[in-house]
Amino acid sequence: MTDNDKPLILLDGSSFLYRAFYASKSGFTTKSGLPTGATLIITRMLQNLIEKYYGSKMIAVFDAKGKSFRSEVYPEYKSNRPPMPEELKVQIDYVRRIVNALGLPLVSISGVEADDVLGSYAKLATEEGLDTVICTGDKDLAQLVNDHVVLYDSMNETYYDREAVIKKYGVPPERIIDFLAIKGDTSDNIPGMAGAGDKTAIALLNGLGGIEDIYARRDEIEKLDFRGAKKFASKYEEAIDIIRLSYRLATIKTDVELPFLPKDAKVPEKNVEELLALYKELEFVRFYNQLADEAGVQERLSAGESGGKHKASKASEAALETVSEAAGENLETGPAQNYKTYGSTFKLITSREDLKAASEAILKAGLVAVDTETSSLDTRSCTLVGISLSIGEKQAWYIPLSHTYIGVTAQLTFGDIKEILMPTLNSDAVDVIGHNIKFDMLVLHYAGLELSKASADTMVMAHLLDSAQPVNLDALCLKYLNYQNVTYEEVTQGKKKLNFSEVTVEEACIYSGEDSEVTFRLYAKLKECLEKKPDLNRLLASMEMPLLHTLYKMEINGVYVDAAVLASQNKTLSTELARLKKDIFVACGEEFNISSPKQLGIVLFEKLAIPYPKKKKAGSTSSYSTAEDILQMIAEKYDVANLILRYRELSKLITTYTEKLQTIISPETGRIYASFNQAGTVTGRLSSSDPNLQNIPARTKEGKLIRDAFIAPDGYSIISADYSQIELRLIAHIAEDAGLLKAFNAGYDIHRATAAEILGKPIDEVSDQERSRAKATNFGLMYGMGAFGLKKQTNMSMEESKHYIDRFFERYPNVRDYMESVKKEAHKYGYVKTIEGREITVTNINSSLPMSQRAAERAAVNAPMQGSAADIIKLAMNRIQEWIETLPENTVRMTIQVHDELVFEVKNEFIEEATINIKNIMENVVKLKVPLTVGISAAANWGSAH
């Protein structure tokens, strides 16, 4: 391409902005406290692109304030996205000023998105005979690629022309919209078709054409080669309205009215004076001094001149070093390292002699990081493809075991691993560490290679240090080691989404060897950080690592589930759902797709003329939200809203539980095997997945119906043990409030006791309604609920609610004092502590946005109770597991943990003893100023025991 034929460069500023922000979330600020990380990184990104495309005309496009037309079409569009973080919001103006000072025209157009502006410029440029490069990381823009338009992803140094789009997504650019319409897009909350993923969409589009072609030829779907093709046509027909809506949402407009034409864009020319002023204000010392050198300006900045507790030059360098690769740049000021620049060496082990030598080296080192590679993430059914090991920096071994491609080198056997390596890993002389090592332990277990211990898990360590930070290995390496890992996608998806067993052993050696090597280094770094926090270091050793082993045993146990009971429940719920559907049609006077928000909105607010409870744009017929809060607003007067809410509730229960659970019951054991995650919540509570057992409704008849399917195997009963009002007891303990302490220690019904205190009457005269109001107050105030929230829950007037809360704090003054003190603690440290010393990060606690700060304060008030309750049940689980291991095998099995409840399978002849011991351990695992009480019972199924 000659200098006279350079392409138009379109910069997706909004994509860059968020990429820069999330790559630089390390608290970089000026001495006055102004966040600067995103501005710093985007400045370097833009500088590098200007240099890369020197002499080309450029346009920077950003999203405008406010919603786009898509939100009118579909109110839930992007509704899953959190609001812009305050730390980014305050940088927007500076970013815009930097863009202009660099000489880039900045375009933002209300009512449309940046993608639409980029699409319109690309189309006009093509019509003007210009080639276009769109610099972005947004997959949606792949639909714009043609012979004259390519995408450039600076993060991966990758260009996407037509062939590259097909290779990456499996469909050509002209089918990207159809692709997104069928499979949906969770990042934008584009619904798509339920149950249709990438493979299904690709098969449909490449086999039959676009979404309308597929609809017209739906009788041919059964001939296509994808799972479920035989019965897919009817599902597609039922979903066509949602697919068409999704198509409209995914389509980038190319006819936006633009402020100037592509040919009128300019080659960037710096405003040196403005840039210097900005760099000085933002304390970008290195940028300032580099530009001053270029411009012949004598003044220089130094870290000392910037002053304050935050040294600007160090911040600039650290930020650039920490996020360089994440921002997609090779920065001479300190790029993130990779295995090549770091000088790591990864060696294959393919002989018994080499395996013996490695085992001897591990014994000598006494510390080894382990990582497994598998054919899938299902630990029970996956194939163990290989194992990597590292005992020091810059070195690791990879042992290929089950690579399957033609010409693969000779590989060791599982028998070799069991004979030579496993005794070493299980030796008392060796500490084994890993990242999410419970996964590796389970993989090895099901491969017949039992790893009996793990000394540390870097995922758990990182979560203890900052409970709000991402704990995936790549993010932690970037943050703590300034190191960029080879990604899984690089070794698999770039090659037609290979299964890992099809990856060459040489590539697998680099990828897996790197994972164990960086885990080894990350462990050393995190260990150093934890040693500076004695409470957290103690929790790692005394609570979290023992818990990892407890959860490992629980996940191997699984939980017995009766498929026939689930099928019966599914039939019952489906029958009620069908009846509800008919009732809704009768109430609305017509049949329509209840699951289509657009159709539902029109029926409710136009055809039935129900007053829309929120302000709506004049003349708009498609901006109705039918979200839960909207339906609840109208439900008091219009019963059809209650029918729809109930319909949605049952639909979710059917798809999430009564249908799905049947599909994941092991045919060999009759059990379901959920995963329990130690690092899945900010407060330290456990979370579960595949399935999420913690979301089964707790108090509804349907929740009990689902629990009824969790049964005891022959010869066993289910025991359920649940802490009673543990968070209320904890606030009494922590706040040391005399009134609450007295009520709990006297064994009163705490809600009646509260009502009696507030209302000034004897406890035996408190009515059920008064108790209910006190209960709402007791639980609500722990979550920072105000008078409005209490009014909503109890139907009291606002004046009554305010008076009730005032009276509560008059009777329990230490509770108010505690709440204020914990807010101050959160503001001061950025975290609050549990009774065991766990730190719970409170994000946005010092936000300059009042709404964000108040929400953070509400979270801070409850966090010590919720986190302390999590600590207590973790300690109890460990103590119970220790007791279980003293019994004959399989006498008692711990199977489920849900918030404050534990579930066990117990041999029938041992129920009485187990009940006594479990209750005793749970009630005495910690000593509080009030008694811990546990409700416990045994039955044939979980529903009856709960």
Side-chain angles (χ1 to χ4, degrees), residues 758-759 769-770 773 777 786-792 794-808:
I758 292 174
L759 301 173
Q769 182 187 41
E770 289 166 341
R773 289 179 173 182
T777 306
F788 180 78
L790 184 60
K791 170 183 177 292
K792 194 172 179 181
T794 62
N795 294 320
M796 288 192 286
S797 68
M798 182 62 78
E799 186 177 345
E800 285 178 310
S801 298
K802 287 179 179 177
H803 178 70
Y804 202 90
I805 290 175
D806 289 342
R807 287 283 295 161
F808 178 93

Side-chain angles (χ1 to χ4, degrees), residues 346-495:
F346 310 118
K347 296 181 179 179
L348 281 169
I349 293 179
T350 56
S351 71
R352 286 173 59 87
E353 291 71 24
D354 286 346
L355 185 60
K356 288 176 182 177
S359 295
E360 290 171 4
I362 292 169
L363 272 173
K364 185 177 179 180
L367 178 68
V368 62
V370 176
D371 183 57
T372 59
E373 301 304 332
T374 61
S375 60
S376 77
L377 295 178
D378 186 336
T379 56
R380 286 181 53 81
S381 64
C382 70
T383 299
L384 174 58
V385 178
I387 303 171
S388 67
L389 308 155
S390 177
I391 58 172
E393 290 192 24
K394 301 186 180 182
Q395 58 180 311
W397 299 290
Y398 179 66
I399 309 167
L401 296 170
S402 305
H403 289 264
T404 58
Y405 58 90
I406 296 173
V408 64
T409 186
Q411 302 172 80
L412 290 171
T413 68
F414 284 28
D416 296 326
I417 302 301
K418 189 171 186 176
E419 175 191 344
I420 300 170
L421 179 62
M422 297 315 294
T424 300
L425 297 184
N426 286 315
S427 167
D428 291 339
V430 176
D431 287 332
V432 179
I433 59 176
H435 188 83
N436 190 16
I437 197 168
K438 176 159 61 69
F439 175 86
D440 302 297
M441 293 170 69
L442 289 164
V443 168
L444 291 168
H445 168 80
Y446 289 115
L449 305 168
E450 194 74 34
L451 179 60
S452 61
K453 64 191 177 77
S455 301
D457 185 327
T458 48
M459 181 178 75
V460 175
M461 295 168 78
H463 188 255
L464 279 170
L465 285 166
D466 180 351
S467 65
Q469 71 176 332
V471 291
N472 62 80
L473 186 60
D474 288 359
L476 293 175
C477 286
L478 198 59
K479 176 176 179 178
Y480 289 98
L481 303 178
N482 189 26
Y483 185 95
Q484 181 65 45
N485 295 340
V486 175
T487 66
Y488 184 81
E489 287 72 20
E490 286 177 74
V491 296
T492 57
Q493 290 191 5
K495 299 177 176 65

Side-chain angles (χ1 to χ4, degrees), residues 71-92:
S71 294
E72 295 184 8
V73 174
Y74 182 59
E76 285 79 11
Y77 179 69
K78 291 190 176 181
S79 63
N80 57 331
R81 292 192 180 184
M84 180 182 287
E86 181 63 23
E87 291 75 9
L88 177 56
K89 190 177 294 185
V90 297
Q91 297 183 66
I92 295 295

Side-chain angles (χ1 to χ4, degrees), residues 108 205 273 320 559 730 764 813 858:
S108 294
L205 295 169
E273 184 178 345
L320 289 170
V559 57
L730 280 163
D764 55 3
R858 288 194 294 272

